[in-house]
Amino acid sequence: MRYCINCCIHLLPNDLHRQCFRCRGPDHNNQKCPVCRGENKIPLYTDSKQMKWLAVLEVRTDHCESWNGIFCLRKGKLCSLMFGLIIMTLVMVSYILTGAKHGLLLIPSPFHYGAFASNPSLMDNESLSDMKDYYQPSKMNISYVKDYPSIKLIIDTITSKIEFITRQRPDLEELRKQEPHMFSVIPNKFLPNSKNPCWYEEYRGNTTADPYATNSYALYSKRFRIIFDYLRKVFWNHLYHYKDKHYRLRCLPHFYIIGQPKCGTTDLYDRLRLHPDVRFSAIKEPHWWTRKRFGIIRLRDGFHDRYPVEDYLDLFDLAAHQIQSVLQSDAVEERGKRNNIIIGEASASTMWDNNAWVFFYDNSTEGEPPFLIQDFIHAFQPNAKLIIMLRDPVERLYSDYLYFASANKSAEDFHEKVAESLQLFEGCVLDFSLRACVYNNTLNNAMPVRLQVGLYVVYLLDWLTVFNKDQILVLRLEDHASNMKYTMHMVFQFLDLGPLSEKQEALITKSPASNTRRPEDRSLGPMLPTTKAILRDFYRPFNTKLAQVLFDDAFLWKRT
């Protein structure tokens, strides 16, 4: 191997040493150049030959010619340069992220809000990407405080489009055509000696077969397999034998806690479970009426196999076994006493979630669903009782955001998502009716926060088209939190439950609250005052109508 002592460039055997910048100039002569001639050089030999007193470490440097052939950079310098650029980039990214979060950046926010382009061709079954393509950025830049008037213009547009129009109920025959199997399974009459709607159904299965082998709840959810393992063990003990045939008792709920999410339904459910005459489904929230019967686990994940009504009825088998024990007791058979055990179901999506209709029901009128959940429940259970727990929709939305958001949660992020959702909602009401927008699957999936869930009066009015007002109990979470004993007495009276001992009542009313806000969410603090003002303006006309329908100004939520 040969090396140039001046620049330590490794010379290949055929290298004429013409690329050494120290040795070669414009008038370079190898014979006259003292460096190239070897003067004042310290001889250096490798390849097992003897070296002089100066030892030189081998430094390998690749020739890095630029495109213009003007200069080259050594590998060490190039690595240092790249490392410096990476560090600078990371610092800038960190600055941008933290500055944007705290409002420290001097550059304007890239999030712009403009008019949502009206387009009557925007149908309910269009994709999310199609929906987002319809709004265009404008010159209006919405910030937390300064641009409140701009957001107020969006809210004023929405308010001007609000019309509470009574929907037309579908007739029974139309419902039968949509769900023939359901109508073939559930009878139109129930046992007269049971307060809860129940009936006997002939069981034709083999005595060695698993009665829950095809139950979708057991197949798709590991959490409920323990429950179904127990049901398998006791199933045959609860069959009713009559004239060489086997019958099983089937039941539907007597009452439904239908909404709303993040309004205290879990706490109400946990307290009602403690009443000796109340039973619930094996799963707190089956979501069968709104999702599972359509094959929906999560709408964003697409559709699975539809859960048949038999799978839903299986969830009430534990309660049905207890009701059957009462019905077959001597006291009932000899003295004609009635079973007073009632079953409840607490899916908080029942009141508002009709997102699946567009995929299954035709004959839509201007984007409005022709059939709603309550139409089918009323067809089978015209005497069902419904409990609704509500809270200030402004606070409900923030709680909903904190519960479901997975990352980057903050009051500032919530503000941005509210503003974007308001703009999307405005775009919809410019083209469609209020009801069409509330039940619009594409819109509801596009909005970053679930604004529509807080439009309580829209859903309530639709439920009142099929159920009488005395069949619906509407409570406020604020009242439940401040005077739990009073609200629980209201529920007991509404469900016509028997009296309790002082010990039983204390157990129900004094137990700790359920499903409270997580500590890590509480540490984020309240929403921004500007966000709260925006949401108050948005929900005000809906709260006003709700207070009028219920004849109770507490539902204006002025003091919260």
Side-chain angles (χ1 to χ4, degrees):
M1 297 182 183
R2 298 184 302 131
Y3 295 84
C4 172
I5 298 303
N6 286 336
C7 55
C8 297
I9 295 179
H10 175 199
L11 301 180
L12 297 176
N14 60 348
D15 197 334
L16 299 178
H17 192 34
R18 293 177 178 175
Q19 296 188 19
C20 177
F21 294 115
R22 294 188 181 183
C23 296
R24 187 165 65 90
D27 301 321
H28 181 266
N29 187 311
N30 289 342
Q31 299 300 324
K32 296 180 179 182
C33 177
V35 175
C36 295
R37 216 175 41 225
E39 295 181 7
N40 300 323
K41 275 193 180 178
I42 299 173
L44 174 65
Y45 300 91
T46 58
D47 299 332
S48 302
K49 295 182 181 181
Q50 185 177 4
M51 293 190 299
K52 294 274 181 148
W53 61 272
L54 178 61
V56 180
L57 295 178
E58 177 183 348
V59 179
R60 297 179 181 266
T61 307
D62 295 334
H63 291 275
C64 301
E65 296 188 37
S66 68
W67 292 329
N68 297 325
I70 298 176
F71 64 93
C72 66
L73 291 173
R74 295 180 185 178
K75 184 181 292 185
K77 291 184 178 180
L78 182 60
C79 292
S80 299
L81 177 62
M82 294 302 297
F83 183 78
L85 289 174
I86 293 172
I87 295 297
M88 184 182 300
T89 302
L90 292 175
V91 171
M92 290 300 296
V93 169
S94 175
Y95 168 75
I96 291 172
L97 291 177
T98 56
K101 180 177 179 180
H102 299 289
L104 300 176
L105 292 183
L106 299 178
I107 59 175
S109 170
F111 194 85
H112 297 282
Y113 299 84
F116 193 107
S118 302
N119 194 324
S121 65
L122 182 59
M123 300 306 292
D124 295 322
N125 59 353
E126 287 184 313
S127 67
L128 172 60
S129 59
D130 293 336
M131 175 66 119
K132 288 190 173 181
D133 287 339
Y134 273 98
Y135 68 90
Q136 305 294 331
S138 75
K139 297 179 181 179
M140 182 170 54
N141 178 18
I142 301 233
S143 62
Y144 302 140
V145 179
K146 293 181 181 179
D147 290 324
Y148 169 77
S150 301
I151 304 181
K152 185 65 167 62
L153 291 176
I154 296 174
I155 295 173
D156 290 343
T157 302
I158 295 172
T159 303
S160 67
K161 295 292 182 178
I162 294 175
E163 288 185 274
F164 299 103
I165 302 174
T166 304
R167 68 182 288 263
Q168 295 297 318
R169 283 179 54 182
D171 59 43
L172 188 60
E173 286 306 313
E174 290 178 301
L175 297 174
R176 288 181 184 275
K177 291 178 182 178
Q178 297 298 326
E179 299 288 352
H181 178 68
M182 201 188 308
F183 279 90
S184 70
V185 173
I186 302 176
N188 54 13
K189 291 184 180 180
F190 304 115
L191 295 176
N193 57 343
S194 175
K195 182 178 178 181
N196 196 84
C198 298
W199 68 97
Y200 280 105
E201 172 187 280
E202 183 180 354
Y203 182 74
R204 298 183 174 88
N206 192 305
T207 55
T208 60
D210 179 2
Y212 304 104
T214 60
N215 187 286
S216 300
Y217 286 100
L219 291 174
Y220 295 131
S221 180
K222 296 180 180 179
R223 291 184 300 162
F224 309 130
R225 289 178 184 173
I226 296 177
I227 297 173
F228 284 100
D229 286 342
Y230 173 78
L231 287 172
R232 290 184 184 96
K233 294 178 182 178
V234 301
F235 179 80
W236 297 104
N237 297 332
H238 291 278
L239 287 180
Y240 179 62
H241 307 281
Y242 181 73
K243 293 183 179 181
D244 298 327
K245 291 184 178 181
H246 301 290
Y247 295 89
R248 67 189 294 190
L249 188 67
R250 288 293 208 178
C251 297
L252 280 169
H254 174 71
F255 70 96
Y256 296 83
I257 301 175
I258 63 174
Q260 291 286 62
K262 309 313 298 175
C263 290
T265 56
T266 299
D267 187 75
L268 179 61
Y269 161 83
D270 285 337
R271 296 181 192 283
L272 271 175
R273 288 173 60 195
L274 300 176
H275 195 287
D277 291 338
V278 175
R279 304 293 184 272
F280 274 93
S281 55
I283 302 168
K284 174 187 175 283
E285 295 188 85
H287 296 295
W288 185 79
W289 290 101
T290 55
R291 299 169 188 171
K292 300 299 193 296
R293 71 186 178 101
F294 298 110
I296 298 173
I297 308 298
R298 295 180 181 86
L299 195 57
R300 64 177 179 270
D301 297 334
F303 292 92
H304 300 258
D305 294 335
R306 300 180 70 174
Y307 288 30
V309 66
E310 292 88 346
D311 291 1
Y312 180 60
L313 297 176
D314 286 346
L315 300 181
F316 306 106
D317 277 1
L318 279 175
H321 294 166
Q322 298 180 47
I323 292 175
Q324 184 179 356
S325 299
V326 175
L327 292 175
Q328 294 179 352
S329 66
D330 294 337
V332 173
E333 292 181 353
E334 295 178 4
R335 304 176 190 175
K337 288 187 177 180
R338 192 182 186 213
N339 161 63
N340 289 319
I341 294 177
I342 60 174
I343 304 174
E345 201 254 71
S347 299
S349 64
T350 306
M351 180 178 180
W352 65 274
D353 190 352
N354 281 275
N355 286 331
W357 73 268
V358 70
F359 301 103
F360 294 92
Y361 300 139
D362 299 325
N363 303 320
S364 169
T365 303
E366 297 182 353
E368 296 187 11
F371 310 103
L372 295 177
I373 302 303
Q374 51 266 40
D375 298 329
F376 293 97
I377 294 178
H378 183 268
F380 300 115
Q381 298 176 259
N383 298 319
K385 294 197 172 184
L386 312 167
I387 301 175
I388 302 172
M389 182 81 87
L390 305 177
R391 73 188 288 189
D392 181 356
V394 176
E395 297 298 334
R396 192 219 72 80
L397 186 65
Y398 190 51
S399 178
D400 196 66
Y401 162 80
L402 293 177
Y403 185 80
F404 288 105
S406 57
N408 300 322
K409 290 186 286 189
S410 67
E412 294 80 7
D413 180 67
F414 177 65
H415 179 92
E416 296 285 348
K417 285 179 167 54
V418 166
E420 182 180 351
S421 299
L422 284 170
Q423 185 187 24
L424 288 168
F425 196 80
E426 178 203 23
C428 185
V429 297
L430 288 174
D431 293 328
F432 299 103
S433 69
L434 176 62
R435 181 178 292 109
C437 292
V438 166
Y439 296 124
N440 187 307
N441 168 66
T442 305
L443 172 66
N444 293 339
N445 284 323
M447 289 193 294
V449 290
R450 302 193 294 182
L451 282 175
Q452 79 282 6
V453 178
L455 306 181
Y456 307 140
V457 69
V458 178
Y459 305 110
L460 179 60
L461 289 173
D462 284 347
W463 280 84
L464 288 172
T465 61
V466 291
F467 286 98
N468 295 327
K469 200 170 183 178
D470 59 2
Q471 291 178 259
I472 303 176
L473 175 65
V474 184
L475 304 170
R476 295 195 330 145
L477 176 61
E478 293 83 0
D479 299 329
H480 181 66
S482 62
N483 194 343
M484 193 170 297
K485 185 175 182 179
Y486 174 74
T487 56
M488 293 309 300
H489 273 282
M490 288 181 64
V491 174
F492 297 156
Q493 184 178 1
F494 175 71
L495 297 176
D496 193 23
L497 294 172
L500 295 171
S501 66
E502 291 185 7
K503 185 177 180 180
Q504 289 173 322
E505 185 174 299
L507 179 64
I508 293 174
T509 58
K510 295 183 180 180
S511 57
S514 302
N515 201 22
T516 56
R517 186 171 294 179
R518 295 169 295 209
E520 60 269 26
D521 291 338
R522 284 200 293 272
S523 65
L524 296 175
M527 71 184 82
L528 299 175
T530 305
T531 314
K532 179 175 285 190
I534 290 169
L535 290 172
R536 289 245 179 273
D537 290 340
F538 172 70
Y539 285 117
R540 184 174 293 111
F542 299 98
N543 294 343
T544 300
K545 182 65 175 179
L546 178 65
Q548 293 171 356
V549 171
L550 297 176
F551 300 102
D552 189 348
D553 286 345
F555 289 93
L556 295 172
W557 283 285
K558 287 184 176 180
R559 297 181 180 179
T560 57

